[in-house]
Amino acid sequence: MKKYKSIIKYPLLLAVIFLVASCGEKQDQNVSKPLYELTPNFRIPKFDSDNAYKQVKAQVDFGPRNPGSRGHYEELLYLERELKKYADTVQVQEFNYSGYDNEQLKLTNVIAKYNPSAKNRIILCAHWDTRPRSDQDPDKSKRNLPILGANDGASGVGVLLEIARVLKNQKVNYGIDLVFFDGEDYGKEKDLDNYFLGSKYYSANYKNPNLPAFGILLDLVGDKDASFTEEGYSLNYARDVVNMVWGIASQINANMFKPKEGPTISDDHLPMNQAGLKTIDIIDAELVGAETPVKRRKYWHTQGDTMENIGKNALQQVGDVITHLIYTLKFNS
Ligand code: ZN
């Protein structure tokens, strides 16, 4: 009898203590819970680099896509058509820009939204225009020609178009905006005022009172022997996001992601960060300025930026990291 009594009493006491303790813990958690975290998910869909590769090639097949060109016009139609298959809404954000020698440019950002009214959002972005000149080409007679931009333009878009398809087939419960910037590569060397035209316009006109939790920019992500070091501005503005992304890469053995600080690159993420849209850049930084020691890889801003340099492995690794992030990301409120 005594024994029986104590058994009843003891768990009751424990239950009371537990209740108090767990309430306190809950309150503490509410205070300290992060906005979002990564949680295990055993149903991560497959990112298909064959599709991504085809999407890169489809763009390159339009020819150069510098503003005002036929390829630019055709790719815009293509992007809208593809994204309407996959996203909940597709918006085009058109604007005019007065360029060099008073050239009047018609530029368009394309924005594909998933869960457009969700408060918690992330941005995934890339530039879809290509450079109107090959100013780094070793052959001086070719420096006025527009580039094909298989890597510089088409690769990031190709990965995002495949992500768009994946998102259609397996929904998430927060908002994702896929943003395709125009006019990234219009500027002459070192004239940053005439670069990043689309991302500047997008950032200045960002109307949603709910800022994205973070953004990820993809640029030069398709080279056969790609190497993604941690980019300087990304570390300055969004070190936690860099750590999260490179952490995922290490977890899933995406070995083109190098967990070390690399060069600082001005890119579309810079105007975004300056406008308060926290964004990192996944970029094969040693291509920029032909810093790479590998001869084949010295094609940035030349006529050599063609499909021959594109490898499915890089598209797969970047796609896997982004897919993994998307489907393990959980918002806490
Ligand atoms: Zn470029």
Side-chain angles (χ1 to χ4, degrees):
M1 191 71 182
K2 211 179 173 185
K3 209 177 170 185
Y4 179 67
K5 234 180 168 177
S6 72
I7 286 171
I8 290 287
K9 243 171 133 180
Y10 192 46
L12 271 177
L13 190 66
L14 264 186
V16 171
I17 292 168
F18 179 71
L19 200 70
V20 172
S22 65
C23 280
E25 200 181 307
K26 213 171 185 182
Q27 276 167 1
D28 282 344
Q29 271 179 0
N30 281 344
V31 172
S32 62
K33 250 192 176 176
L35 174 63
Y36 56 84
E37 56 195 324
L38 301 182
T39 57
N41 180 355
F42 300 101
R43 286 185 59 246
I44 294 178
K46 185 179 176 306
F47 176 95
D48 187 340
S49 57
D50 288 337
N51 287 338
Y53 185 90
K54 280 181 205 153
Q55 292 288 20
V56 176
K57 186 168 184 304
Q59 297 169 74
V60 173
D61 285 347
F62 293 133
R65 281 102 54 220
N66 51 302
S69 66
R70 177 164 189 92
H72 187 260
Y73 174 75
E74 285 181 351
E75 169 144 3
L76 177 58
L77 296 181
Y78 182 77
L79 272 181
E80 286 184 62
R81 199 167 63 234
E82 283 296 290
L83 291 167
K84 277 178 183 161
K85 286 191 222 166
Y86 304 127
D88 294 333
T89 65
V90 178
Q91 300 171 347
V92 288
Q93 186 177 52
E94 296 173 321
F95 61 104
N96 298 316
Y97 188 81
S98 188
Y100 295 115
D101 305 318
N102 211 25
E103 183 184 11
Q104 296 305 303
L105 303 173
K106 283 205 172 304
L107 301 178
T108 310
N109 295 328
V110 183
I111 305 161
K113 295 189 173 219
Y114 294 80
N115 299 332
S117 56
K119 172 171 70 82
N120 292 314
R121 315 196 65 75
I122 65 168
I123 292 177
L124 304 172
C125 48
H127 74 89
W128 70 269
D129 66 303
T130 54
R131 192 162 181 74
R133 64 194 81 81
S134 312
D135 42 335
Q136 302 295 319
D137 203 285
D139 182 344
K140 282 186 182 167
S141 70
K142 293 183 174 160
R143 289 186 183 164
N144 286 328
L145 298 174
I147 69 166
L148 267 177
N151 203 5
D152 196 352
S155 66
V157 172
V159 169
L160 291 188
L161 287 175
E162 170 59 3
I163 293 282
R165 184 193 68 80
V166 170
L167 281 171
K168 162 92 181 174
N169 293 336
Q170 191 172 322
K171 309 280 180 210
V172 290
N173 65 2
Y174 56 89
I176 300 185
D177 298 332
L178 304 181
V179 185
F180 299 83
F181 296 125
D182 201 352
E184 188 270 347
D185 231 345
Y186 179 71
K188 292 182 180 169
E189 209 189 347
K190 298 201 172 82
D191 177 20
L192 289 188
D193 285 350
N194 284 303
Y195 274 92
F196 324 127
L197 304 176
S199 53
K200 283 175 187 167
Y201 189 86
Y202 175 82
S203 306
N205 292 281
Y206 191 86
K207 294 277 168 19
N208 194 332
N210 301 308
L211 291 180
F214 58 85
I216 299 177
L217 171 67
L218 306 181
D219 199 0
L220 300 165
V221 292
D223 188 89
K224 280 173 183 168
D225 301 305
S227 165
F228 306 114
T229 47
E230 300 173 357
E231 185 275 328
Y233 287 123
S234 308
L235 287 168
N236 279 350
Y237 284 102
R239 183 175 289 268
D240 54 332
V241 182
V242 171
N243 290 342
M244 180 169 66
V245 168
W246 267 256
I248 290 172
S250 135
Q251 217 179 72
I252 65 172
N253 298 318
N255 58 10
M256 287 173 163
F257 287 74
K258 314 294 181 195
K260 60 174 184 193
E261 183 165 355
T264 296
I265 310 283
S266 296
D267 204 345
D268 283 321
H269 67 317
L270 186 55
M272 291 179 77
N273 280 307
Q274 286 168 341
L277 304 173
K278 181 176 174 177
T279 305
I280 67 159
D281 192 7
I282 298 177
I283 183 166
D284 192 347
E286 61 173 35
L287 295 184
V288 177
E291 298 288 332
T292 169
V294 182
K295 196 166 170 241
R296 180 196 57 78
R297 282 170 40 82
K298 294 178 183 290
Y299 57 79
W300 177 74
H301 292 183
T302 75
Q303 288 292 296
D305 186 357
T306 58
M307 284 309 287
E308 279 92 87
N309 297 305
I310 303 297
K312 287 179 187 169
N313 191 20
L315 302 172
Q316 187 69 52
Q317 288 199 16
V318 174
D320 281 344
V321 169
I322 300 294
T323 305
H324 204 92
L325 171 66
I326 289 173
Y327 289 96
T328 57
L329 182 68
K330 180 177 153 270
F331 283 87
N332 284 321
S333 60

